[in-house]
Amino acid sequence: GTPFFAPRQRSILERELRSGAAEVFFARSVLLFEGESEVRALPLFARALSIDVHLHGISLVAVDGKAYVPLLRMLGKSALGIPWVLLSDGENLEEIAGHLVSAGRTTQAAVDAAKAAGRLQEDILVPHDCFALDAGRDLEGAIIYGGACAEYEAAITAHPDAGTLAAFVAADANRATLPREKQVYDFMRHKRWGKRWKVVFAAHVADAITAGGTNPARIPTPIVAAINRVRDFATGAAVKA
């Protein structure tokens, strides 16, 4: 018969499992995401929402984007049957929809119709438990432009080895006239400045905007939705379609 995984999918899956994704075998539900920053920020966000990921058996798994399809197939009802939720950067909507097609969760025709109607999130992603950050942003962008620019500035100041924001702005005359949020975001994305430190900054900022994991009011809405959904799967309050 036809193998459940194509050879390349199997190779990718084996690599991800060796890298830490094997914890999904013991989970009641799984939150998948692509990004190092989320590894540090999501547990704090969950705690602020009064969700103990360990108590509920929720696995938070960072994956390479190429691994989504084999992981979704492995977690699906025809294999392990472990409910999953996916949290994506806002710039990856069509890519995530493509993963859902490749994993057999929806059809290309349905995706094309949703794209034509401008309803990819509403008709494809959210009904399949995929939540995307707003306005095409990654985690840093969603938080900085969501009102936490000052917290990122404080994180940068607290870690001078990353370089100062003032020095970053002074290094390019074009940066001086940019809005403060753009300056901070560009600093975070630059490989010679904040990008190397973004995981450290993510923990610092997540702690700051949740008041030490006690207040969820400033957590980006798609993240709240994803964490609540994976909690509902873990507790049995929702059943994976």
Side-chain angles (χ1 to χ4, degrees):
T2 303
F4 191 73
F5 294 111
R8 176 167 170 74
Q9 288 184 345
R10 180 172 178 173
S11 175
I12 291 171
L13 181 60
E14 289 174 347
R15 183 191 67 213
E16 289 296 318
L17 294 175
R18 287 194 298 269
S19 298
E23 68 177 71
V24 302
F25 292 124
F26 308 99
R28 293 192 183 99
S29 65
V30 179
L31 178 55
L32 301 168
F33 50 88
E34 184 180 357
E36 299 173 307
S37 300
E38 286 86 344
V39 172
R40 300 292 294 275
L42 289 176
L44 282 165
F45 291 155
R47 189 170 76 192
L49 291 162
S50 300
I51 297 171
D52 186 324
V53 295
H54 300 295
L55 181 64
H56 288 306
I58 297 168
S59 181
L60 306 177
V61 179
V63 300
D64 183 295
K66 299 182 181 68
Y68 276 130
V69 173
L71 274 170
L72 295 184
R73 286 178 58 78
M74 183 184 77
L75 293 170
K77 289 184 177 180
S78 57
L80 296 180
I82 299 173
W84 54 266
V85 173
L86 193 153
L87 178 65
S88 168
D89 290 350
E91 62 189 1
N92 296 334
L93 303 188
E94 292 189 17
E95 182 179 343
I96 296 301
H99 293 329
L100 292 173
V101 172
S102 297
R105 297 292 302 178
T106 188
T107 66
Q108 188 61 52
V111 170
D112 291 343
K115 284 170 58 178
R119 292 180 53 85
L120 196 57
Q121 287 204 69
E122 298 89 339
D123 294 349
I124 299 296
L125 300 188
V126 173
H128 289 91
D129 304 305
C130 298
F131 298 87
L133 296 171
D134 295 333
R137 305 203 187 282
D138 57 10
L139 180 69
E140 285 76 20
I143 294 175
I144 290 168
Y145 285 96
C149 184
E151 283 78 5
Y152 261 100
E153 288 194 63
I156 294 167
T157 301
H159 297 86
D161 287 346
T164 68
L165 189 61
F168 173 74
V169 173
D172 186 333
N174 294 323
R175 295 173 182 150
T177 59
L178 296 174
R180 195 59 165 176
E181 291 88 350
K182 177 65 172 169
Q183 292 174 343
V184 172
Y185 185 53
D186 285 354
F187 177 95
M188 290 302 307
R189 289 176 63 87
H190 200 292
K191 64 182 179 181
R192 291 182 56 194
W193 298 83
K195 189 172 184 178
R196 295 177 300 159
W197 291 79
K198 69 176 188 175
V199 175
V200 175
F201 292 157
H204 184 115
V205 172
D207 184 73
I209 68 173
T210 62
T214 62
N215 185 347
R218 299 177 66 194
I219 302 173
T221 299
I223 296 178
V224 173
I227 293 174
N228 282 334
R229 185 65 169 166
V230 79
R231 183 271 319 276
D232 289 346
F233 284 144
T235 61
V239 177
K240 185 78 174 177

